[in-house]
């Protein structure tokens, strides 16, 4: 198993040097932007939306950019890019200013505190998940490499992970506790779990499931699972394909990608599935929502 220590070391330096300062004062508010990919420019690029009517294109790659992910500690976003026949993982500031290229990985995710990385490492036709700190030391594989393991997402407090694995025959959701090193299977059914997100309270997750009902088209719906009680609640129930999801940092909204009226758009809904509203307007493909957020003095908001 090859771990790319130089790349992790570079990432650690970047994260440690880009720490944001949190304004002092009795009242701190959270500002948010919604990130997503869109084909409005003719290519797949990354956009941000302040949810007040202002959408801004962040990348201008003539090929593909996708999978935006926010790193709270460095107040930066990382995303996948395919340019000049080369796959890259890029890092930029929210204003579009380029920071660094982080190559060599199939996919990875950085914890919100910037201290931990979960990397997907391809092994033949399969993949394993490896945790390391952001400087590339203390690496540990948390899965085998005899199945698909991927789409790993850190909990907001960086103590836990959820991910998708087909080690038992079909896609299921698994949970890993970094402190105890214990793995728990969270779903057990014949459907196909696909996308994951954490609630900001660390206590709940949401996931999408692809399933089939006789006489109906294939569909994807969103479910919420309480990690303590293991109670599962279905919060969408419609004939549309509700797929990639992202729980807002305030906990009140879930952003999701859905194909409605034959167009792929980004929508928001309340965390119980009510109050669905469309965010994107261009009649083209949109997908892979993520949240960028930072703290500000409420008086200056």
């Amino acid at each position: 198993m090859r771990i790319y220590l130089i790349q992790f070391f570079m990432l650690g330096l970047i994260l440690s040097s880009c720490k944001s300062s949190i304004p002092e004062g009795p009242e701190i508010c959270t500002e948010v932007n919604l990130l997503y990919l869109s084909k409005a420019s003719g290519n797949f690029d990354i956009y941000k939306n302040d949810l007040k009517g202002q959408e801004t294109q962040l990348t201008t790659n003539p090929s593909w950019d996708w999978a935006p992910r926010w790193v709270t500690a460095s107040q930066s976003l990382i995303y996948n890019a395919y340019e000049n026949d080369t796959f890259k993982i890029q890092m930029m500031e929210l204003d579009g200013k380029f920071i660094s290229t982080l190559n060599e990985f199939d996919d990875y995710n950085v914890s919100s505190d910037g201290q931990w990385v979960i990397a997907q490492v391809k092994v033949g036709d399969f993949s394993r998940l490896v945790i390391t700190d952001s400087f590339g030391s203390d690496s540990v594989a948390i899965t085998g490499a005899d199945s698909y393991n991927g789409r790993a997402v850190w909990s907001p407090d960086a103590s836990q992970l959820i991910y998708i694995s087909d080690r038992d025959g079909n896609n299921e959701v698994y949970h890993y506790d970094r402190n105890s090193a214990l793995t728990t299977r969270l779903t057990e059914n014949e459907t196909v779990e696909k996308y994951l997100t954490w609630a900001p309270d660390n206590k709940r997750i949401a996931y999408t499931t692809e399933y089939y009902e006789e006489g109906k088209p294939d569909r994807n719906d969103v479910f919420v699972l309480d990690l303590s009680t293991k109670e599962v609640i279905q919060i969408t129930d419609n004939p549309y394909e509700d797929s990639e999801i992202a729980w807002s940092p305030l906990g009140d909204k879930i952003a999701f990608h859905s194909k409605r009226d034959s167009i792929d758009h980004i929508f928001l809904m309340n965390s119980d599935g009510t109050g669905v509203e469309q965010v994107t307007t261009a009649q083209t493909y949109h997908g892979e929502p993520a949240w960028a957020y930072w703290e500000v003095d409420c008086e200056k908001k």
Side-chain angles (χ1 to χ4, degrees):
M1 177 179 64
R2 181 183 177 193
I3 303 299
Y4 301 92
L5 299 180
I6 295 176
Q7 291 291 336
F8 278 124
F9 180 73
M10 290 173 60
L11 176 61
L13 292 177
I14 291 167
L15 292 175
S16 62
S17 64
C18 294
K19 296 277 186 179
S20 61
S21 59
I22 299 176
E24 296 182 358
E27 292 187 272
I28 299 297
C29 292
T30 301
E31 284 278 3
V32 298
N33 271 197
L34 192 58
L35 305 171
Y36 47 83
L37 66 89
S38 173
K39 205 176 180 183
S41 66
N43 300 304
F44 286 103
D45 284 303
I46 306 298
Y47 287 70
K48 68 176 179 180
N49 192 312
D50 66 3
L51 302 180
K52 301 173 184 176
Q54 182 66 43
E55 180 185 71
T56 305
Q57 182 178 344
L58 296 179
T59 65
T60 57
N61 183 0
S63 295
W64 284 21
D65 296 317
W66 73 100
R69 291 147 289 174
W70 182 248
V71 184
T72 310
S74 60
Q75 299 291 274
S76 60
L77 71 95
I78 56 176
Y79 63 95
N80 297 348
Y82 189 77
E83 187 174 4
N84 298 324
D85 296 325
T86 302
F87 171 77
K88 305 175 182 179
I89 295 180
Q90 306 273 57
M91 177 178 281
M92 69 160 50
E93 296 179 2
L94 193 57
D95 61 3
K97 181 181 178 182
F98 174 79
I99 297 176
S100 179
T101 296
L102 302 163
N103 287 341
E104 305 287 359
F105 301 101
D106 298 296
D107 193 20
Y108 72 82
N109 218 328
V110 182
S111 62
S112 61
D113 61 7
Q115 299 302 305
W116 299 95
V117 173
I118 181 72
Q120 183 189 47
V121 180
K122 291 287 183 67
V123 182
D125 294 332
F126 303 114
S127 56
R128 65 159 48 98
L129 293 172
V130 177
I131 291 178
T132 184
D133 66 24
S134 56
F135 286 94
S137 59
D138 299 322
S139 62
V140 58
I142 67 169
T143 72
D146 55 356
S147 62
Y148 169 82
N149 299 281
R151 293 180 180 161
V153 184
W154 285 103
S155 62
D157 68 357
S159 68
Q160 307 164 75
L161 283 160
I162 49 176
Y163 62 93
I164 298 292
S165 176
D166 65 2
R167 68 187 65 168
D168 293 311
N170 65 299
N171 282 19
E172 302 284 3
V173 182
Y174 288 78
H175 172 274
Y176 179 82
D177 185 286
R178 187 170 54 81
N179 295 318
S180 66
L182 292 177
T183 297
T184 304
R185 179 174 169 174
L186 297 180
T187 61
E188 188 169 355
N189 49 57
E190 296 180 358
T191 60
V192 179
E193 276 64 68
K194 299 181 76 172
Y195 299 100
L196 305 166
T197 187
W198 282 88
D201 62 8
N202 288 284
K203 299 176 180 179
R204 294 168 295 161
I205 66 167
Y207 60 90
T208 61
T209 293
E210 181 179 29
Y211 62 102
Y212 317 94
E213 291 183 352
E214 187 174 353
K216 296 182 180 180
D218 299 350
R219 56 193 295 183
N220 292 268
D221 277 312
V222 183
F223 295 76
V224 172
L225 184 152
D226 186 297
L227 291 173
S228 297
T229 66
K230 300 302 186 291
E231 179 185 14
V232 176
I233 299 174
Q234 182 175 349
I235 63 170
T236 67
D237 185 7
N238 56 62
Y240 309 114
E241 295 183 12
D242 300 331
S243 52
E244 301 108 357
I245 50 177
W247 213 313
S248 76
L250 299 178
D252 57 335
K253 300 286 185 181
I254 295 177
F256 64 101
H257 159 220
S258 184
K259 192 179 185 69
R260 306 184 182 207
D261 299 324
S262 301
I263 299 293
D264 296 84
H265 279 295
I266 302 297
F267 294 82
L268 290 179
M269 62 181 167
N270 298 327
S271 58
D272 62 0
T274 63
V276 175
E277 56 182 309
Q278 184 173 321
V279 174
T280 54
T281 58
Q283 297 301 294
T284 188
Y285 181 90
H286 304 82
E288 301 185 332
W291 294 90
Y293 54 97
W294 59 97
E295 295 180 334
V296 297
D297 188 326
C298 293
E299 295 182 356
K300 298 179 180 179
K301 184 176 178 182

